[in-house]
């Protein structure tokens, strides 16, 4: 026991520094990864095991999932249910998050819960791809953070054989496991002996470097035979003794190390399996795989009329006359026509400035996830309406009153390249993407845009995950929102919710946090406010310079805090790097969701660096003071897909000790964003986002402020434009 | 699974209806519009408005009554016949005249001298393509070379694929377009890029040199379409 405590204190001191170092090492290597994706590629998809990882029945295999693959696995045997999501973050690296429930936990050994529930993280790295001679080799860390019940490491090799006497294909796997995966049939301790024991009461959550690959190692092996496209048969020899479940807790009786199963590929995504495990138990496994790159419905956009081409100048000189430029009436009429053509594509004209040779159009795009579609349609709208003498089009995307960037195209280039064999690339080569001035003086504006009032009434659901009693709690009800925009950049908005059903507030345990209860009183908030103000605030955002953006907000910013917030962001149009600073002074809101406040108040804020590493990898570092007054930093790494899918992970280390933080030791979680258009197959700029934390504590908690600048600003910058530039003629 | 997921979303959304007004679409609850859009999709698929799979027999009289040029396109995947109208025709820097043909539901098929060089509105479109190797081979005995075709991937990006193509002359044939029998030269274009291949067939009308009939590949999503120039 003494040893264990000592081990943990050492970990505490080392943990953050090593984590930072790891992040520092990981960044360049991720950037080097090559996420090339081939249109005709139909990569082989390995099936999943009971841990939701590529594998046999209970043991892993070595093949990686296709790049970007997202899988959900739910398996159950002997009252042990494991639900796992896995994401292939790079072609070689994958990460999993798992939630488990073990029933009958307290039958033999007394415990607080009948069902033991736990969360765990895995990572896998493909060391070597399979080739004609060598097998694929993967190293994996299972439940690597903390003294988890599933903690185990492995090195595994898999080789496929397609042309054998049997029909279909065969994969043969062999590997060596440590920890849990080395608990039966050990062959010695190649990397030393001492390995901490599983301790259900530990705060856990920290990488347990000093345990990995320590202790007894044991071999495992198996065969997978894909009989045809639908059916697969699996057999394996497991190196897991289920010491706790079979031994001390007597959840089930293990009679054999051999597991058998068969799987059926029901549809492209869904796979179902039934198994006989450890000589005594029947198990089932449901696996679902999807790839963010393959939408449920491909987005179809109704084409616009073909580009209108100007008549030859020598043949019809009258069309090239420039007299119109002197007439305010004619300019207004042109503005109205452009506005109408844009409206047919669901785009809004913000302002238009014309002279005889050039035009600057300021444009609001509320429709297309790809800014290039908006720019391409705007260019064709200008070509449709404007007199022949206007040769240069400057198209400025405006988001929330902020001019994002200016795309400059020559009209003669549009005409020459519309049906060029490489129409999009050729246009990008001659188009300019540059900075846009904050304002366009002396322009013809669109008087219909402001003041603007919008409202909506609809349903809402608000989930809460992973408390010890219930894996998922859910509140739901009716939400009413309204937003009033008196002028560009100004927003007066609010949301009112009424809870109709739910159990988020039923959680019986009071928060045991020793920090100010900035987040852990969530159940009390859910319980005491049936009708509550979700938020209500005034905000103003503006461009303070060509590369500088600013925002000031005040009011009830989120459900638990209200106050004032100010943000400044530097983001040049063509830069991969952005820097921001945000300062807030907030007071904790009353539980009932009314206008009142509690006593707790805090000054919180961060300095942030954002970096687009290329290939869809995105990093963010926030350093500052969090809601509980703790000081530290958050590292976020995200894989972004051109169509708007984002899958990311984050962790926060602050000066709060693991013991004060409580379960989990430090804050961490997963962000997931799915664009609505991916489901619907129609152009749509919106997306749904969720953050999943293994556990919500008070340390490292950040204020939620509506309308943060970075995503608004970069959605129309060079990288966002170029990512989907091929759609400019769509 | 697509149907299962769509169904789940549908159930989730329809159970929770909502309404909104004013302002931007972006502010409305995604659940709300997901519900209404899916309802529309479902209605279109199952309702009485769903298009019938019948084939219209085109007669000369029917064609004469139709103003302008008419192109018949039959995608092999659906077998549904559609009649397209020419909405633009022009010359640009690249050899060969470009024609934009548009269907009743505003999908566009772009041909250069009868060779498919683009589609718009299909989802998974052919963004652009070279046609020169086919155009050049049309008059002679055959030919070929590299042909760049830019295809939309489904994730919003595109890939330019350099196909290696061979055009061979398969001899003269008589084809029937509506009520007219035409003498035409039959060309086949075999293209390959690694493991991926496709074969297009063209029938070039003797005398005019126009491609009157063809079967052309429009990309991995859409597959082949049969194209007949009914009326020029």
């Amino acid at each position: 026991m003494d040893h264990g405590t000592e081990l943990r204190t050492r970990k505490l001191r080392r943990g953050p520094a090593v984590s930072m170092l790891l992040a520092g090492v990981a960044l360049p290597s991720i950037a080097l990864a090559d996420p090339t994706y081939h249109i005709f590629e139909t990569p082989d998809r390995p099936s999943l095991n009971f841990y939701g990882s590529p594998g046999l029945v209970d043991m892993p295999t070595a093949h990686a999932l296709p790049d970007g693959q997202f899988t959900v696995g739910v398996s159950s045997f002997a009252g042990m249910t494991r639900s796992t999501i896995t994401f292939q973050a790079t072609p070689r690296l994958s990460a999993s998050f798992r939630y488990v429930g073990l029933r009958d936990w307290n039958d033999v050994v007394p415990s607080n819960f009948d069902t033991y529930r736990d969360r765990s993280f895995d990572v896998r790295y493909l060391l070597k791809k399979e080739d004609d001679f060598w097998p694929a080799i993967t190293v994996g860390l299972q439940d690597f953070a903390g003294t988890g019940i599933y903690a185990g490491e492995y090195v595994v090799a898999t080789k496929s054989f397609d042309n054998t006497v049997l029909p279909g294909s065969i994969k043969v796997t062999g590997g060596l496991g440590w920890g849990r995966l080395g608990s039966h049939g050990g062959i010695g301790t190649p990397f030393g002996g001492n390995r901490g024991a599983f301790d259900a009461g530990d705060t856990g959550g920290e990488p347990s470097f000093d345990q990995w690959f320590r202790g007894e190692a044991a071999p495992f092996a198996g065969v997978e035979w894909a009989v045809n496209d639908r059916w697969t048969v699996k057999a394996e020899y497991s190196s897991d003794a289920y010491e706790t479940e079979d031994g001390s807790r007597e959840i089930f009786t293990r009679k054999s190390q051999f597991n058998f199963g068969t799987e059926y590929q029901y549809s492209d995504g869904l796979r179902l399996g039934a198994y006989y495990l450890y000589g005594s138990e029947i198990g089932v496994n449901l696996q679902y795989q999807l790839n963010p790159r393959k939408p449920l419905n491909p987005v179809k956009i109704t084409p616009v009329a073909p580009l209108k081409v100007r008549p030859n100048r020598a043949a019809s000189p009258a069309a090239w006359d420039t007299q119109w430029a002197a007439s305010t009436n004619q300019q207004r009429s042109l503005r109205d026509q452009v506005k109408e053509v844009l409206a047919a594509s669901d785009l809004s004209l913000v302002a238009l400035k014309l002279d005889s040779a050039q035009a600057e159009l300021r444009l609001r795009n509320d429709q297309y996830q790809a800014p290039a579609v908006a720019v391409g349609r705007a260019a064709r709208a200008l070509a449709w309406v404007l007199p022949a003498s206007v040769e240069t089009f400057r198209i400025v995307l405006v988001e929330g009153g902020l001019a994002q960037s200016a795309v400059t195209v020559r009209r003669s280039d549009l005409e020459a390249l519309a049906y060029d064999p490489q129409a999009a690339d050729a246009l990008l080569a001659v188009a300019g993407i540059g900075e846009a001035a904050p304002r366009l003086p002396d322009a013809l504006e669109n008087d219909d845009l402001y003041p603007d009032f919008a409202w909506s009434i609809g349903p809402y659901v608000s989930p809460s995950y992973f408390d010890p009693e219930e894996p998922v709690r859910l509140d739901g009800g009716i939400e009413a929102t309204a937003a009033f925009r008196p002028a560009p950049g100004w927003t007066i908005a609010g949301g009112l919710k009424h809870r109709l059903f739910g159990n988020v507030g039923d959680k019986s345990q009071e928060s045991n946090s020793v920090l100010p209860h900035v987040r852990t009183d969530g159940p009390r908030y859910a319980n005491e406010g049936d009708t509550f103000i979700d938020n209500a605030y005034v905000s103003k955002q503006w461009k303070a310079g060509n590369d500088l953006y600013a925002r000031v907000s005040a009011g009830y910013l989120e459900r638990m805090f209200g106050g004032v917030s100010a943000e400044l962001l530097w983001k040049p149009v063509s830069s991969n790097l952005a820097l921001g600073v945000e300062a807030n002074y907030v007071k904790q809101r009353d539980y009932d969701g009314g206008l009142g406040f509690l006593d707790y108040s805090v000054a919180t804020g961060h300095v942030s660096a954002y970096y687009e590493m290329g290939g869809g990898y995105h990093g963010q570092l926030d350093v500052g003071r969090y809601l509980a007054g703790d000081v530290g930093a958050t590292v976020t790494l995200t894989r972004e897909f051109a169509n708007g899918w984002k899958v990311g992970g984050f962790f926060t280390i602050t000066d709060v000790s693991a013991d004060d933080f409580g379960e989990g030791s430090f804050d961490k979680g997963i962000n997931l964003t799915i664009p609505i258009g991916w489901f619907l197959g129609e152009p749509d700029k919106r997306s749904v986002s969720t953050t999943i934390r293994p556990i919500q504590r008070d340390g490292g908690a950040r204020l939620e402020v509506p309308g943060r600048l970075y995503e608004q600003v970069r959605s129309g910058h060079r990288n966002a434009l170029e990512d989907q530039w091929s759609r400019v003629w769509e | 699974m697509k149907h299962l997921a769509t169904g789940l979303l549908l159930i989730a959304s329809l159970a929770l209806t909502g309404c909104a007004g004013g302002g931007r679409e972006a502010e409305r609850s995604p659940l709300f519009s997901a519900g209404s859009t899916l309802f529309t999709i479902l209605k279109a698929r199952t309702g009485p408005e769903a298009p019938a799979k019948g084939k219209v027999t085109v007669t000369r009289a029917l064609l004469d009554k139709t103003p302008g040029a008419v192109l018949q396109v039959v995608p092999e995947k659906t077998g549904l016949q559609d009649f397209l109208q020419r909405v633009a025709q022009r010359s640009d820097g690249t050899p060969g005249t470009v024609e934009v043909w548009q269907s009743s539901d505003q999908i566009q098929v772009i041909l250069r001298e009868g060779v498919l060089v683009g589609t718009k509105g299909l989802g998974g479109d052919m963004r652009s393509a070279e046609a020169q190797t086919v155009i050049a081979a049309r008059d002679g005995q055959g030919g070929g070379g590299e042909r760049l075709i830019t295809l939309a991937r489904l994730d919003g990006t595109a890939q330019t694929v350099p196909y290696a193509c061979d055009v061979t002359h398969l001899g003269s044939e008589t084809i029937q377009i509506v009520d007219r029998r035409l003498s035409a030269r039959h060309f086949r274009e075999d293209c390959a890029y690694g493991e991926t291949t496709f074969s297009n067939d063209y029938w070039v009308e003797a005398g005019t040199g126009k491609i009157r009939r063809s079967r052309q590949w429009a990309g991995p999503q859409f597959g082949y379409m049969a194209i007949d120039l009914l009326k020029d």
Side-chain angles (χ1 to χ4, degrees):
Chain A
M1 206 60 218
D2 262 14
H3 179 76
T5 324
E6 195 189 299
L7 205 71
R8 245 183 41 218
T9 23
R10 202 174 76 226
K11 254 164 37 192
L12 279 185
R13 263 185 277 119
R14 204 173 68 177
V18 176
S19 304
M20 292 298 184
L21 187 72
L22 268 184
V25 173
L27 289 181
S29 60
I30 285 174
L32 287 174
D34 179 21
T36 44
Y37 154 59
H38 201 284
I39 188 166
F40 302 115
E41 210 168 70
T42 45
D44 194 32
R45 297 186 307 185
S47 58
L48 309 180
N49 64 9
F50 271 53
Y51 288 100
S53 287
L56 294 155
V57 184
D58 214 19
M59 297 291 113
T61 51
H63 288 134
L65 294 162
D67 182 39
Q69 198 86 345
F70 196 85
T71 71
V72 180
V74 180
S75 71
S76 183
F77 83 99
M80 301 183 284
T81 304
R82 303 168 190 161
S83 309
T84 312
I85 52 174
T86 296
F87 178 59
Q88 190 72 36
T90 80
R92 287 174 184 265
L93 182 76
S94 72
S96 304
F97 173 65
R98 183 177 307 107
Y99 186 76
V100 298
L102 310 182
R103 278 210 316 251
D104 306 328
W105 185 250
N106 58 359
D107 279 8
V108 178
V109 184
S111 156
N112 291 336
F113 309 107
D114 175 48
T115 301
Y116 176 79
R117 297 182 195 280
D118 201 3
R119 282 84 52 194
S120 49
F121 289 96
D122 300 353
V123 288
R124 279 166 61 93
Y125 189 81
L126 177 68
L127 293 172
K128 199 193 163 310
K129 288 184 182 166
E130 182 175 351
D131 59 29
D132 289 343
F133 184 74
W134 293 100
I137 301 171
T138 285
V139 59
L141 301 174
Q142 187 172 291
D143 196 358
F144 67 91
T147 50
I149 187 167
Y150 284 137
E153 301 78 44
Y154 55 86
V155 178
V156 61
T158 301
K159 182 87 184 85
S160 2
F161 301 93
D162 286 331
N163 301 308
T164 60
V165 289
L166 293 165
S169 71
I170 290 175
K171 289 178 187 168
V172 178
T173 295
L176 202 55
W178 284 262
R180 186 183 182 98
L181 299 173
S183 58
H184 183 273
I187 53 162
T189 55
F191 301 117
N194 234 322
R195 187 182 177 98
F198 163 62
D199 169 13
D202 185 47
T203 57
E206 298 169 315
S208 26
F209 307 100
D210 34 21
Q211 294 180 17
W212 297 343
F213 301 101
R214 298 296 167 81
E216 195 79 354
F220 60 86
V223 182
E224 177 178 353
W225 175 28
V227 182
N228 54 36
D229 286 347
R230 295 270 179 207
W231 290 96
T232 296
V233 185
K234 290 174 165 182
E236 71 175 15
Y237 167 78
S238 164
S239 57
D240 189 341
Y242 278 80
E243 278 165 348
T244 309
E245 298 88 338
D246 173 38
S248 56
R249 299 272 171 186
E250 293 180 29
I251 292 175
F252 81 107
T253 309
R254 180 177 51 94
K255 293 177 179 160
S256 156
Q257 288 306 117
F258 289 95
N259 300 326
F260 305 93
T262 181
E263 289 173 4
Y264 178 69
Q265 189 76 38
Y266 173 79
S267 69
D268 185 48
L270 185 66
R271 190 176 177 90
L272 305 163
Y275 312 84
Y276 183 63
L277 295 103
Y278 298 100
S280 61
E281 296 289 334
I282 299 289
V284 290
N285 191 2
L286 179 151
Q287 312 166 16
Y288 185 68
Q289 299 200 18
L290 62 84
N291 198 299
R293 289 181 176 122
K294 291 195 184 133
L296 281 184
N297 289 301
V299 175
K300 293 179 190 172
I301 304 182
T302 309
V304 292
L307 179 77
K308 194 161 156 188
V309 180
R310 291 172 291 180
N312 184 296
R313 188 167 198 163
S316 31
W320 288 74
D321 188 74
T322 56
Q323 288 296 315
W324 62 271
S327 155
T328 318
N329 275 341
Q330 286 204 38
Q331 289 216 5
R332 283 210 184 106
S333 152
L334 290 169
R335 173 200 60 187
D336 293 343
Q337 290 173 57
V338 172
K339 186 175 142 188
E340 202 174 305
V341 177
L342 287 173
S345 287
D346 294 303
L347 296 167
S348 311
L349 180 144
V350 173
L352 182 66
K353 189 174 182 178
L354 294 170
D355 67 34
S356 59
Q358 55 180 320
E360 175 165 338
L361 168 69
R362 301 214 151 195
L363 172 76
R364 197 172 81 188
N365 163 28
D366 299 325
Q367 179 78 357
Y368 306 100
Q369 185 261 334
V373 176
V375 169
R377 291 190 164 219
R380 279 170 289 171
L382 293 175
W384 189 266
V385 172
L386 297 183
S389 65
V390 182
E391 167 63 14
T392 308
F393 297 160
R394 221 172 117 83
I395 296 160
V396 175
L397 290 164
V398 178
E399 176 80 29
L402 307 173
Q404 295 173 306
S405 64
V407 180
T408 309
V409 285
R410 287 171 57 214
R411 195 170 180 174
S412 36
D413 287 334
L414 284 175
E415 291 169 350
L417 300 174
Y419 305 106
D420 187 87
Q422 297 199 67
D425 285 352
L427 187 63
L428 182 61
V430 293
I433 300 174
E435 62 186 30
R439 274 172 303 279
L440 183 63
D442 310 321
L444 300 158
E445 302 203 336
N446 180 355
D447 301 324
D448 298 346
L449 293 183
Y450 299 99
D452 177 46
F453 181 73
W455 59 272
S456 77
I457 294 173
Y460 82 91
V461 283
S462 128
S464 146
Y465 303 106
F466 310 134
D467 71 63
E469 297 158 38
E470 284 289 333
V472 179
R473 290 176 187 271
L474 201 66
D475 272 1
I478 301 179
E479 175 182 28
T481 64
F484 178 63
R485 293 186 178 79
W490 281 96
T491 305
I492 301 165
L496 191 69
K497 282 180 178 166
H498 179 73
R499 190 170 69 110
L500 291 174
F501 63 87
N503 56 0
V504 175
D506 297 349
K507 192 176 165 182
S508 52
Q509 276 187 316
E510 286 236 336
S511 165
N512 62 357
S513 180
V514 298
L515 299 170
H517 290 192
V518 294
R519 289 291 181 220
T520 51
D521 280 340
R524 195 161 171 197
Y525 278 92
N527 215 3
E528 291 192 22
D530 265 348
T531 305
F532 56 93
I533 298 168
D534 200 36
N535 57 32
Y537 61 92
V538 182
S539 109
K540 160 74 178 162
Q541 60 183 29
W542 71 97
K543 239 184 132 160
N546 283 358
D547 297 329
L548 214 54
Y549 304 81
R551 172 187 61 80
V552 177
S553 314
Y556 298 92
L557 299 171
E558 52 144 295
R559 178 70 178 89
M560 297 185 194
F561 287 89
V564 289
S565 168
E567 185 185 1
L568 196 63
L569 178 79
W570 171 83
K571 170 77 176 77
V573 169
S574 299
S575 166
N576 290 333
L577 176 74
L579 299 171
V581 55
E582 183 187 281
N584 316 284
Y585 181 77
V586 290
K587 211 161 159 43
Q588 190 160 15
R589 289 180 61 191
D590 205 345
Y591 303 113
D592 64 12
L595 298 173
F597 287 96
L598 304 173
D599 287 338
Y600 183 74
S601 63
V602 64
T604 170
H606 288 83
V607 176
S608 303
Y610 313 84
Y611 191 71
E612 295 181 57
M613 293 173 248
Y617 300 100
H618 188 274
Q620 182 178 340
L621 175 69
D622 308 287
V623 181
R625 190 163 185 238
Y626 293 80
L627 278 174
D630 46 339
V631 175
T634 303
V635 174
T636 309
L637 287 174
T638 308
R639 177 80 188 268
E640 302 181 343
F641 296 83
N643 62 11
W645 260 78
K646 294 177 190 173
V647 184
F650 65 88
F651 65 88
T652 302
I653 308 284
T654 69
D655 56 357
V656 169
S657 72
D659 285 331
D660 286 348
F661 183 92
E663 191 179 349
S665 300
F666 62 94
D667 191 57
K668 58 196 158 305
I670 298 161
N671 295 320
L672 182 63
T673 300
I674 306 173
I676 293 286
W678 191 84
F679 290 107
L680 299 185
E682 293 196 339
D684 199 311
K685 236 185 139 182
R686 293 164 304 164
S687 57
V688 283
S689 294
T690 188
T691 298
I692 300 172
R693 287 182 163 85
I695 186 150
Q696 174 76 66
R697 301 293 294 176
D698 294 318
R702 241 190 123 175
L703 181 72
E704 281 173 37
V705 183
R708 283 201 166 111
L709 291 169
Y710 180 63
E711 294 299 335
Q712 293 188 66
V713 166
R714 74 163 171 147
S715 65
H717 276 193
R718 177 183 288 272
N719 287 339
L721 280 160
E722 290 188 356
D723 279 348
Q724 296 194 71
W725 186 265
S726 68
R727 300 178 63 180
V728 71
W729 292 108
E730 201 165 276
Chain B
M1 196 57 209
K2 178 173 164 175
H3 299 298
L4 179 60
T6 316
L8 286 175
L9 192 68
L10 186 74
I11 292 160
S13 322
L14 287 184
L16 312 156
T17 47
C19 53
R24 316 171 194 179
E25 176 73 11
E27 277 160 347
R28 298 181 191 173
S29 157
L31 272 180
F32 164 55
S33 43
S36 50
T37 313
L38 281 169
F39 186 70
T40 320
I41 292 171
L42 202 72
K43 218 171 84 182
R45 279 187 191 157
T46 59
E49 301 98 308
K53 280 212 171 186
K55 189 166 158 39
V56 180
T57 312
V58 184
T59 59
R60 177 59 50 190
L62 198 63
L63 212 51
D64 286 342
K65 269 193 283 179
T66 315
V70 181
L71 191 77
Q72 176 185 281
V73 175
V74 182
E76 275 184 13
K77 270 190 185 166
T78 60
L80 292 175
Q81 178 190 31
D82 204 350
F83 299 99
L84 280 63
Q85 294 201 297
R86 189 159 57 206
V87 291
Q89 186 174 25
R90 58 175 285 223
S91 301
D92 54 11
T94 313
T97 304
V98 176
E99 296 175 337
V100 182
W101 295 84
Q102 186 161 300
S103 74
S104 51
D105 51 352
Q106 286 186 293
I107 284 165
Q108 290 175 1
V109 169
I110 299 152
L111 306 176
R112 188 180 288 277
E113 295 292 324
V115 180
L116 184 69
V117 293
T119 64
K120 288 184 187 188
L122 294 176
D125 286 294
M126 178 186 284
R127 295 253 184 259
S128 56
E130 285 181 332
Q132 199 46 45
T133 51
V134 187
I135 294 172
R138 193 181 47 172
D139 305 327
Q141 296 299 306
E146 187 186 69
R147 188 170 162 207
L148 294 179
I149 301 180
T150 304
L151 299 164
R153 295 165 172 149
L154 295 180
D155 68 342
T157 63
Q159 181 174 341
T160 300
V161 186
Y163 281 97
C165 299
D166 267 328
V167 185
T168 46
H169 185 208
L170 298 181
S172 290
E173 292 173 16
T174 305
I175 56 169
Q176 180 155 356
I177 305 263
V178 195
D179 58 340
R180 290 197 187 144
R181 294 172 69 79
L182 307 168
S183 168
R185 286 195 308 258
H186 182 187
F187 290 90
R188 175 163 296 159
E189 181 193 27
D190 294 299
C191 297
Y193 172 72
E195 304 275 290
T196 323
T197 59
F198 68 85
S199 291
N200 290 346
D201 286 280
Y202 307 92
W203 285 267
V204 179
E205 188 180 6
T208 64
K210 274 189 183 297
I211 295 176
R212 289 303 298 259
R213 169 170 291 173
S214 60
R215 175 183 179 268
Q216 302 190 54
W217 187 72
Q221 282 302 312
F222 198 76
Y224 287 93
M225 52 172 81
I227 303 172
D228 275 11
L229 180 58
L230 299 187
K231 183 180 167 193
D232 196 15

